[in-house]
Amino acid sequence: MALYVAAAAVLEGVENRQGSIKGLVYGRRFQNVKQLYALVCETQRYSVVLDAVIASAGLLRAEKKLRPHLAKVLVYELLLGRGFRGSGGRWKPLVARHQARLKAELARLKVHRSVSRNEDLLELASRPGPALQVPRFVRVNTLKTCSDDAIDYFKRQGFSYQGRASSLEDLRTLKGKHFLLDPLLPELLVFPAQTDLHEHPLYQAGHLILQDKASCLPAMLLAPPPGSHVIDACAAPGNKTSHVAALLKNQGKIFAFDLDAKRLASMATLLARAGVSCCELAEKDFLAVSPSDQRYRQVQYILLDPSCSGSGMLTRQLEEPGACAPSKKRLHALAGFQQRALCHALTFSSLQRLVYSTCSLCQEENEDVVRNALQNSAGTFRLVPVLPSWPHRGLGTFPGAEYCLRASPETTLTGGFFIAVLERKEVSSSASHTEAPGPELTASPTPKRKKKRRKLVAGASTLPGT
Ligand SMILES: C[S@@+](CC[C@H](N)C(=O)[O-])C[C@H]1O[C@@H](n2cnc3c(N)ncnc32)[C@H](O)[C@@H]1O
């Protein structure tokens, strides 16, 4: 029993950089040093695999008193080692209670990674998964600087500029101190994954915005010309708002709404740092913003990026497999709110173009919301086919769904994302964009379905945050 506690203490010491495994093992004056050393080394070797299994089995959530390092040692013994030695003390029955689940999660991991032996998991664990390979995207804030100046600054700091990338492959193979311009977005710099620029003076001064490429698409596709009036319906913390402001060149107006006072406070700081002066912030439920209010009569553009399950977020994708999946109940509530917000946005009388986006991978929050809103709009709006060369499209659940964009680490080297661009059919010349018209979606003729849809919309009384 003391063996497991000692091994856990050594592992913790190694992690906290208190010394090498050997030094810490010998420092403990444990009776059977060889046994302790072997157990620590083996547990350490399988560390990533053990973390994944422990997390997906929910062991630490269920056993609050069990410390993570001890859990790792015990699970190693149970699943990969020689089984518990001696009586195993009080920890043996505790971990044994979770034995079936732990074994099942290990088996699932092997199936997921298409390997049959435990050792084969080691090789894969040392290779980073797709979410860890997503490059660091940096949007140049054109309200404060320009791409050329930012590039020169990085060059002076010893980074090597490789020009504009011509393919995703260029981004995938980026290494060391090399950086590129994105092949699609004009003001997006790309650095190797794990490049940390949070302390960089240009970021601190608001000249750079650290923003994933997929999250830059909504403002780019909304494309409001300078002077336009824009609503950002669910705006905090404001990265997309600041992008819209940059496209407007601070000329025109952004009405930005959010319910969350704390997020709005950080948004105000972000916008001030980014030099945004055309934005009016309001702590307000977008659903309560009246489309007939005279203040919004010139609003031709709406960005709707509502609260969602966040199942596409990179941080979520790094968690245990399956952890990204929201419960059915939560999805239902979220989709209800998203649909109400989208239908509400489409009632603004001057609206010409709207971008709907989420960082969710779930069809219920994406294609289903867009399809229902188009049906509700009785043919007034259509989906716009955007970025024809974008490789990942909406799920083909209704005619035209392929006009929507999806994004993921595997297909686009970004976080998971969904975007739909809607445009009013009788497009006035001032807000007209050039894409071909999309297919029509008419409202469902069966009264039964209409009733169900209304119920879904009304059902979302809670508004989950992101
Ligand atoms: C996905 S986040 C928006 C991120 C933001 N667009 C950006 O790029 O930084 C969704 C936001 O919607 C806000 N929200 C949720 N329900 C809302 C409502 N009824 N009206 C306005 N904002 C709402 C949340 O507080 C949250 O800040």
Side-chain angles (χ1 to χ4, degrees), residues 165-220:
S166 54
S167 68
L168 274 188
E169 205 41 40
D170 292 345
L171 271 53
R172 209 186 300 275
T173 50
L174 208 51
K175 282 208 171 63
K177 292 203 97 182
H178 290 186
F179 72 112
L180 292 159
L181 260 177
D182 184 76
L184 179 67
L185 281 100
E187 267 104 24
L188 197 64
L189 304 177
V190 194
F191 290 82
Q194 326 304 344
T195 308
D196 187 0
L197 296 172
H198 286 90
E199 303 296 324
H200 195 278
L202 289 187
Y203 167 67
Q204 303 264 347
H207 291 225
L208 302 178
I209 312 282
L210 305 181
Q211 191 173 357
D212 184 50
K213 174 173 170 175
S215 145
C216 294
L217 293 176
M220 184 191 103

Side-chain angles (χ1 to χ4, degrees), residues 232-240 257-260 263 284-287 305-307 337 463-464 466:
D232 190 347
C234 297
N239 276 336
K240 295 183 193 74
F257 303 103
D258 205 283
L259 273 182
D260 188 317
R263 286 168 74 94
K284 197 161 176 178
D285 179 352
F286 172 62
L287 298 175
D305 184 42
S307 292
F337 165 62
L463 302 173
T466 43

Side-chain angles (χ1 to χ4, degrees), residues 76-88:
Y76 169 79
E77 275 299 66
L78 181 75
L79 297 183
L80 307 165
R82 298 171 15 194
F84 286 113
R85 298 158 215 224
S87 70

Side-chain angles (χ1 to χ4, degrees), residues 115-151:
V115 299
S116 53
R117 297 177 317 150
N118 292 337
E119 299 90 274
D120 298 334
L121 285 170
L122 288 177
E123 208 239 319
L124 289 169
S126 63
R127 258 191 253 152
L132 279 175
Q133 290 174 35
V134 169
R136 156 59 66 201
F137 291 102
V138 178
R139 180 167 61 79
V140 175
N141 177 13
T142 52
L143 290 177
K144 288 213 156 173
T145 184
C146 61
S147 296
D148 286 349
D149 287 356
I151 289 168

